[in-house]
């Protein structure tokens, strides 16, 4: 088996055109002869033209590109298959709806080596596929995948961590804290892993020069999409907190969140609408949905036998 320094792992499902752009940017990564890398693509049982796209790119690329079909549906199953197939000492996670600057991987590796870090993340910016004249609130941009925008390298905090779409991890991190939790099949597996990384005392670093772009179609700034996203975020946060803090403390957090939405975010949203600040109003309204998702997630984690929330789960596509 030929070893490489870095395996870029891309998990994909029914995004063949975005995947084409994603891989086109990854094969152009510069190394300055400082490391070697491969690209590992996990097709999570796509039904579009993903297979044909991959077959074409495998024969054209100068960089080792290996593809695998993972028939067990679910993002975490795909991530685990990527870890199994990767040959690199380092795992660079990258999403199928992103494109990277040519020095993205080089900057991640340089920061990891200079700081002796085993966990590093980069800057992720939104790139709209159609013209977007809206001035989206930073809270909305973060929910759509944009990273923190610090100007200098610095350690992440417990509240601000790297996303799975722009992250470099040494293999020993997974050996120490475990793999992704299979119960997080829709969202939140990266947040849960980062929680365990922090608990293990592993310091993660942010690189402002490791830049990638999250391809964002207009449908993702639709209010219904945002509502579902914020509900899912709150749901995942509550599950993480129940596991970390326990039900008693998490119940206090849930009540505090709902009170804050009722007394702060709700009134600010209403007032902002009245004075014409529609994007501010939207951001605070969506924060209310996040808090509702948090409370519902807490109830499901602790009282699901008595309050199953069947209709809510079916309406928003939550994994049970």
């Amino acid at each position: 088996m030929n070893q490489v320094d870095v395996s870029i792992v891309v998990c994909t499902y029914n995004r063949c055109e975005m995947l084409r752009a994603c891989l086109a940017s990854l094969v152009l990564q510069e190394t300055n002869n400082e490391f070697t890398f491969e690209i590992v693509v996990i097709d999570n049982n796509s039904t579009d033209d993903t297979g044909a796209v991959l077959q074409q790119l495998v024969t054209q690329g100068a960089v080792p590109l290996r593809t695998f079909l993972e028939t067990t549906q679910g993002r975490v199953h795909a991530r685990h298959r990527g870890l199994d197939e990767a040959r690199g000492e380092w795992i660079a996670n990258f999403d199928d709806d992103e494109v990277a600057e040519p020095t993205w991987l080089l900057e991640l590796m340089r920061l990891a080596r200079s700081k002796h870090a085993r966990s590093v993340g980069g800057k992720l910016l939104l790139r709209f596929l159609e013209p977007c004249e809206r001035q989206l609130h930073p809270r909305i941009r973060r929910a759509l995948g944009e990273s923190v925008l610090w100007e200098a390298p610095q350690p992440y905090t417990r509240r601000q961590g790297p996303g799975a779409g722009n992250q470099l991890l040494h293999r020993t991190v997974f050996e120490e804290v475990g793999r992704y939790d299979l119960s997080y099949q829709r969202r939140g597996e990266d947040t849960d892993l980062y929680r365990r990384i922090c608990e293990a005392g592993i310091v993660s670093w942010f690189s402002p020069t490791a830049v990638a772009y999250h391809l964002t179609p207009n449908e993702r700034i639709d209010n219904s999409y945002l509502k579902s996203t914020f509900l899912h975020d709150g749901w995942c946060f509550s599950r993480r907190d129940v596991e970390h803090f326990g039900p008693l403390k998490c119940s206090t957090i849930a009540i505090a969140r709902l009170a804050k939405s009722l007394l702060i975010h709700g009134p600010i949203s209403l007032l902002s609408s009245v004075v014409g600040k529609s994007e501010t109003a939207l951001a605070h309204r969506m924060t209310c949905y996040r808090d509702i998702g948090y409370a519902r997630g807490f109830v499901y984690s602790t009282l699901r036998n008595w309050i199953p929330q069947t209709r809510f789960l079916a309406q928003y596509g939550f994994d049970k």
Side-chain angles (χ1 to χ4, degrees):
M1 180 185 297
N2 295 325
Q3 295 295 321
V4 293
D5 296 311
V6 186
S7 294
I8 303 176
V9 177
V10 180
C11 301
T12 188
Y13 176 70
N14 283 354
R15 287 176 174 167
C16 61
E17 291 307 317
M18 286 186 175
L19 178 65
R20 189 191 301 274
C22 166
L23 296 179
S25 73
L26 294 180
V27 298
L28 296 176
Q29 290 301 294
E30 300 172 3
T31 67
N32 278 17
N33 295 321
E34 296 177 19
F35 58 88
T36 58
F37 74 96
E38 66 171 354
I39 303 170
V40 177
V41 181
I42 308 299
D43 177 4
N44 197 198
N45 221 21
S46 297
T47 57
D48 63 358
D49 291 332
T50 293
V53 169
L54 290 176
Q55 185 176 13
Q56 180 185 31
L57 292 174
V58 165
T59 59
Q60 292 180 351
V63 175
L65 173 61
R66 300 185 296 126
T67 68
F68 302 90
L69 178 65
E70 176 52 58
T71 57
T72 303
Q73 206 71 48
R75 186 161 62 180
V76 178
H77 291 294
R79 291 201 188 282
H80 285 176
R81 180 67 182 275
L83 291 175
D84 291 338
E85 301 295 349
R87 299 182 297 200
E89 178 184 0
W90 294 86
I91 306 297
N93 288 318
F94 203 75
D95 284 349
D96 60 352
D97 57 353
E98 297 173 358
V99 293
E101 289 283 0
T103 58
W104 164 72
L105 187 58
L106 178 63
E107 295 295 339
L108 287 178
M109 284 295 290
R110 283 178 171 175
L111 183 63
R113 288 170 171 172
S114 67
K115 300 298 182 182
H116 304 287
R118 292 187 289 159
S119 172
V120 178
K123 180 185 290 185
L124 190 60
L125 303 172
L126 301 184
R127 175 176 288 178
F128 294 98
L129 299 183
E130 299 89 14
C132 178
E133 298 179 356
R134 292 170 54 183
Q135 298 298 316
L136 297 178
H137 191 279
R139 193 171 299 167
I140 299 295
R141 298 183 72 92
R142 286 299 307 274
L144 291 173
E146 194 164 79
S147 70
V148 294
L149 301 178
W150 298 327
E151 295 182 357
Q154 60 184 288
Y156 286 101
T157 67
R158 283 187 174 269
R159 290 178 60 86
Q160 302 284 3
N166 188 341
Q167 186 180 34
L168 179 69
L169 293 167
H170 196 271
R171 277 192 176 275
T172 56
V173 172
F174 294 103
E175 295 170 4
E176 188 170 337
V177 308
R179 293 188 169 195
Y180 299 100
D181 188 334
L182 281 169
S183 65
Y184 289 89
Q185 280 299 337
R186 187 178 177 90
R187 296 175 71 89
E189 81 282 357
D190 52 344
T191 303
D192 173 71
L193 179 68
Y194 181 64
R195 172 185 62 83
R196 287 183 275 131
I197 288 174
C198 291
E199 291 174 351
I202 300 172
V203 178
S204 299
W205 278 81
F206 168 74
S207 170
T209 53
V211 180
Y213 302 92
H214 194 194
L215 303 178
T216 308
N218 277 350
E219 64 190 44
R220 294 188 186 177
I221 57 176
D222 181 78
N223 285 1
S224 60
Y225 179 90
L226 291 172
K227 178 180 178 181
S228 177
T229 297
F230 274 81
L231 284 169
H232 277 92
D233 282 348
W235 180 280
C236 292
F237 293 161
S238 71
R239 286 195 52 205
R240 175 201 63 193
D241 287 352
V242 168
E243 295 171 2
H244 182 60
F245 298 120
L248 182 60
K249 184 173 181 179
C250 192
S251 67
T252 303
I253 297 173
I255 292 171
R257 279 178 171 266
L258 290 176
K260 191 173 182 180
S261 280
L262 180 64
L263 299 175
I264 299 177
H265 295 300
I268 291 177
S269 178
L270 180 60
L271 179 60
S272 298
S273 295
V274 171
V275 299
K277 295 183 177 180
S278 59
E279 296 299 339
T280 300
L282 177 66
H284 285 276
R285 185 164 73 253
M286 291 303 153
T287 302
C288 291
Y289 284 124
R290 178 179 287 166
D291 294 338
I292 291 170
Y294 188 99
R296 282 185 171 273
F298 166 74
V299 170
Y300 184 76
S301 295
T302 57
L303 302 170
R304 73 183 68 179
N305 293 332
W306 294 274
I307 310 176
Q309 305 183 73
T310 305
R311 183 179 300 177
F312 177 77
L313 291 168
Q315 182 179 359
Y316 291 103
F318 285 86
D319 295 306
K320 301 181 182 181

